[in-house]
Amino acid sequence: MGSSIIRRSITRSLNHPSLLSASSWCLSHRQHALASNPLSSFLHTQPSSGAGLPSYMRGAVYWEPNKPLTIEEFHIPRPKAGELLIKTKACGVCHSDLHVLKGELPFSSPCVLGHEITGEVVQHGPLSDHRVTERLPLGSRVVGSFIMPCGNCSHCSKGHDDLCEDFFAYNRAKGTLYDGETRLFLRGSGKPVYMYSMGGLAEYCVVPANALCVLPEALPYSESAILGCAVFTAYGAMAHAAEVRPGDSVAVIGTGGVGSSCLQIARAFGASYIIAVDIQDKKLQKAKSFGATHTINSTKEDPIQKIIEITGGKGVDVAVEALGKPQTFSQCTQSVKDGGKAVMIGLAQAGSVGEMDINRLVRRKIQIIGSYGGRARQDLPKLMRLAETGIFNLEHAVSRRYTFEEAAKAFQDLNQGNIVGRAVIDIN
């Protein structure tokens, strides 16, 4: 679609009377160049570089619910205009992928999961804008965000990358990129395989340029992978949905990878009370190192009453639900003060419903806000600076690392609650 738009634009320009003579000279000059070098026409439409790339790669494939991932061979994916081929270095282990693996979130299959990555730029798609190739030259170290904004829809044009129409219409609804096609094909059969975001659990992946940010040399590939989802989601919740201000009181219900990142971001934003709620003491102990001033084990005491007690009978300015369960949804809404914000970031099993006392919602001006993630083009550079300066501690956030061959085990451990914080899979 992008190339057809370019061709139509060129045609309109060439038909403009003021440009006819100049156009004739350019076309004549181009025809002479083509005659002297027939390959130039072919090369003009080819991806930049890519020299030395292998013909095949490995990727971890999800086939059907409650079946383990399998490592399969693929043809090397080819980026199109505005896209880049990334040699994947690391990919985070996220509950969103686990929801798909368990059949709780419907998604096209077979597919390659993995949506928070770091890697190296090894190829630009053909006809990519010079601003893309200049910002992300070959060899660049990059982070990729799971929300991949098209940059052109009504939401993206307003800077609301987190609501990108094409991302939801194509990637989340169909498992493709924005021309309606996947970039993944099995080596043996040529069968297409869908992509959850960029399909980062593979040795190479194709990512739209708008979802990529340069990774500073000072930051490691492995730990930095979580910047693309866990930290990105937490930042979106704290900065855009909750709009946390210095002195605000914040409660975070669920202190896994995203929840623990919320604690760090709340601390960075100057929150006063930072209350961590979970059912595992080991996670709550770790939460203190992320900035929690108070911890609550909800299996031992009522989290709503305890939060109200800690805040002098008022409730918190902001409560964040990071689990996606009806029970914690209710706890979140009941923990905020009058006029407070209950921010929901945890994905749930399809069809799950949260309940709220309507009269309290209306009379006490409670705000319930959904937040899926940050805004890639404006937020990723900020996250790089937070991590590079140590304000966000990546080393503390990542608790376990797995090899690519251990991808299935990583999600098994996540499902069993054996991962405190975030885990990362090292790929290349």
Side-chain angles (χ1 to χ4, degrees), residues 220-248:
Y221 275 124
S222 291
E223 288 83 356
S224 298
I226 72 168
L227 291 168
C229 177
V231 187
F232 182 73
T233 301
Y235 187 87
M238 294 289 108
H240 304 305
E243 298 178 315
V244 173
R245 298 292 183 263
D248 281 353

Side-chain angles (χ1 to χ4, degrees), residues 197-375:
S197 290
M198 70 286 291
L201 281 174
E203 292 172 324
Y204 292 84
C205 61
V206 171
V207 188
N210 286 330
L212 293 168
C213 180
V214 172
L215 177 68
E217 290 288 341
L219 296 178
Y221 275 124
S222 291
E223 288 83 356
S224 298
I226 72 168
L227 291 168
C229 177
V231 187
F232 182 73
T233 301
Y235 187 87
M238 294 289 108
H240 304 305
E243 298 178 315
V244 173
R245 298 292 183 263
D248 281 353
S249 54
V250 176
V252 178
I253 302 173
T255 60
V258 175
S260 60
S261 295
C262 286
L263 298 174
Q264 288 210 57
I265 298 295
R267 178 176 61 183
F269 283 6
S272 54
Y273 294 128
I274 303 176
I275 305 168
V277 181
D278 207 284
I279 61 173
Q280 293 187 35
D281 285 332
K282 61 181 179 180
K283 288 187 177 182
L284 292 171
Q285 186 62 35
K286 185 76 170 176
K288 295 176 182 178
S289 69
F290 296 137
T293 59
H294 301 76
T295 60
I296 301 171
N297 187 320
S298 58
T299 64
K300 300 176 181 178
E301 50 190 339
D302 186 321
I304 302 168
Q305 292 181 3
K306 189 65 178 177
I307 288 171
I308 292 173
E309 176 188 325
I310 292 169
T311 55
K314 294 182 178 181
V316 288
D317 295 293
V318 174
V320 178
E321 197 283 342
L323 284 174
K325 297 182 181 298
Q327 180 184 11
T328 48
F329 178 98
S330 179
Q331 290 171 353
C332 183
T333 61
Q334 295 180 67
S335 297
V336 297
K337 66 194 300 185
D338 291 354
K341 297 177 181 178
V343 180
M344 308 300 168
I345 61 176
L347 291 178
Q349 183 170 349
S352 296
V353 176
E355 295 184 350
M356 173 68 190
D357 182 331
I358 295 175
N359 288 337
R360 180 168 184 263
L361 174 72
V362 174
R363 289 171 173 168
R364 310 321 301 162
K365 201 176 178 180
I366 305 301
Q367 300 177 63
I368 301 177
I369 308 169
S371 180
Y372 192 41
R375 299 167 182 174

